[in-house]
Amino acid sequence: MEVQQSLTVCVTGAAGQIAYSFIPLLLSGQVFGQVKINLRLLDIPKMETALKGVVMEIEDCAYPLIGDIQTGSNPKELFKNCDLIVFLGGFPRLPGMERKDLLQKNANIFKEQGEALQEVGKEDVKCVVVANPANTNCLILSRYATKIPRQNFTCLTRLDQNRAYAQVALTLNKPLNSLKNIIIWGNHSTTQYPSIEHATVEGQSFVLPDQGQFIERIQKRGAEVLNARGNSSVFSAANAVKDHIKDWYNGREDTLLSLGVLSNGEYGVQSGLCFSYPIRCLGAFKYEIVGNLQLSDFSKQKLKVTEEELIQEQGLAESI
């Protein structure tokens, strides 16, 4: 793969906690290697002063890979000429807020940002949506930026996959690098399906003592972290964003990865939904959905549950 001399990367929600953990990974070469990064930091107007503080810290780190930096609150200014946009910014779920309320708040945000992409974005820009509900936010973004190819829109389920790998390794008392092909299917929510059906340890298939407990543990891991530390996952989320982009950019064909991508009907999933699939990353921001895995009836039922939730979310977003 041809190495690019520089990339222009925009991070939304750039004054937030996940950005605060992700930006050092990006600028220290852990995502793209020795590629110069022109950085665009976007947040809401009341956070523009905080963004200045983020820039000060970036300067004080003296990263050799940093190019120019621009900050602001207007996506039509900061999305111009970007090669990659990482959508960390979204409206958080507040106490007492129903899922429909959260969808409404974020639908408006991602509609506006999709329109900005359509107006000023490069046609080959790559998008990673992290802000929740990530799958449906990604779908909305793509609906309003139709000039950009569908395969350029992805959402983060790598955090769930990393959690699944860690829990299996702990349960089996095996090193992480001996595991392959643990898959996250569906929505980044409590209906996701973390599957070991095609996974191996040291090249051999395996079973867990309690598969139901494993599935529930991964589905609810975010809440478990929240309850323990009084805040949501931050540096584990930033690390997963790094892994997602690094493998999408560089390629990684030795194991199946999990990314939320726009469905073309694979495995009977409704076309157009943003659904986490088993993926092979081919390098240069290209991927393919691995569409020939044989699924048990148990797995098919789990896929249907998470698909139905995504269909409901899509309906709510469209009604809004």
Side-chain angles (χ1 to χ4, degrees):
M1 183 179 68
E2 182 180 350
V3 177
Q4 294 178 254
Q5 296 303 308
S6 67
L7 289 167
T8 300
V9 179
C10 181
V11 178
T12 80
Q17 292 189 67
I18 297 177
Y20 202 72
S21 292
F22 172 68
I23 290 169
L25 302 177
L26 176 66
L27 298 182
S28 60
Q30 295 185 58
V31 180
F32 295 111
Q34 298 304 300
V35 175
K36 189 171 289 292
I37 303 297
N38 299 311
L39 192 59
R40 308 291 179 258
L41 301 177
L42 177 73
D43 215 310
I44 58 177
K46 72 176 184 179
M47 300 304 294
E48 288 197 48
T49 300
L51 286 178
K52 293 178 182 178
V54 174
V55 172
M56 292 178 198
E57 289 219 67
I58 292 170
E59 292 170 347
D60 293 350
C61 287
Y63 291 115
L65 295 177
I66 189 66
D68 69 288
I69 307 174
Q70 296 178 22
T71 69
S73 57
N74 187 349
K76 290 183 181 180
E77 294 178 358
L78 295 187
F79 287 176
K80 290 179 182 178
N81 300 315
C82 284
D83 300 297
L84 170 71
I85 304 175
V86 184
F87 293 87
L88 302 179
F91 196 90
R93 190 167 189 171
L94 302 176
M97 180 181 285
E98 295 183 2
R99 192 169 184 83
K100 182 177 181 179
D101 300 325
L102 182 68
L103 275 166
Q104 182 171 11
K105 292 285 189 181
N106 283 286
N108 291 329
I109 292 170
F110 281 85
K111 174 180 180 291
E112 177 188 348
Q113 294 184 339
E115 290 170 340
L117 268 180
Q118 182 71 8
E119 182 175 334
V120 305
K122 293 171 61 175
E123 291 188 11
D124 63 348
V125 64
K126 309 305 186 295
C127 302
V128 181
V129 178
V130 181
N132 287 317
N135 297 63
T136 299
N137 287 343
C138 184
L139 173 63
I140 294 167
L141 187 73
S142 70
R143 290 275 185 93
Y144 287 93
T146 55
K147 73 177 185 183
I148 298 167
R150 297 170 80 254
Q151 64 267 27
N152 290 14
F153 295 94
T154 66
C155 83
L156 185 75
T157 55
R158 185 61 174 268
L159 176 56
D160 306 304
Q161 188 175 39
N162 286 351
R163 289 166 169 168
Y165 267 83
Q167 291 304 312
V168 170
L170 289 169
T171 300
L172 300 181
N173 194 26
K174 295 289 185 178
L176 279 164
N177 61 9
S178 70
L179 298 169
K180 288 187 177 182
N181 300 338
I182 300 173
I183 302 166
I184 304 297
W185 298 87
N187 199 5
H188 174 63
S189 73
T190 56
T191 68
Q192 66 175 267
Y193 173 41
S195 171
I196 61 166
E197 187 170 9
H198 302 92
T200 61
V201 57
E202 298 173 345
Q204 303 296 317
S205 60
F206 62 92
V207 295
L208 294 174
D210 190 333
Q211 183 177 350
Q213 184 182 58
F214 161 74
I215 292 172
E216 185 175 2
R217 185 82 185 271
I218 305 308
Q219 290 173 333
K220 298 181 177 179
R221 184 64 165 184
E224 188 179 1
V225 172
L226 177 62
N227 290 336
R229 65 182 297 265
N231 211 328
S232 58
S233 303
V234 176
F235 66 79
S236 60
N239 181 70
V241 176
K242 177 260 295 180
D243 290 342
H244 175 120
I245 300 169
K246 178 182 177 182
D247 289 339
W248 190 16
Y249 176 74
N250 290 301
R252 185 176 173 190
E253 299 187 49
D254 64 318
T255 187
L256 300 180
L257 300 172
S258 294
L259 288 75
V261 299
L262 296 176
S263 172
N264 293 306
E266 295 86 354
Y267 297 95
V269 172
Q270 179 175 297
S271 182
L273 293 178
C274 184
F275 196 90
S276 183
Y277 280 113
I279 299 287
R280 289 203 189 281
C281 289
L282 307 176
F285 286 121
K286 299 185 185 302
Y287 70 82
E288 63 181 15
I289 297 173
V290 179
N292 59 353
L293 299 179
Q294 296 298 311
L295 300 182
S296 66
D297 289 342
F298 176 82
S299 291
K300 290 177 183 176
Q301 189 271 333
K302 290 292 187 184
L303 263 66
K304 183 58 65 176
V305 169
T306 194
E307 178 195 13
E308 287 174 355
E309 182 183 50
L310 283 168
I311 291 171
Q312 291 174 2
E313 287 189 9
Q314 180 186 26
L316 280 172
E318 289 174 346
S319 69
I320 293 165

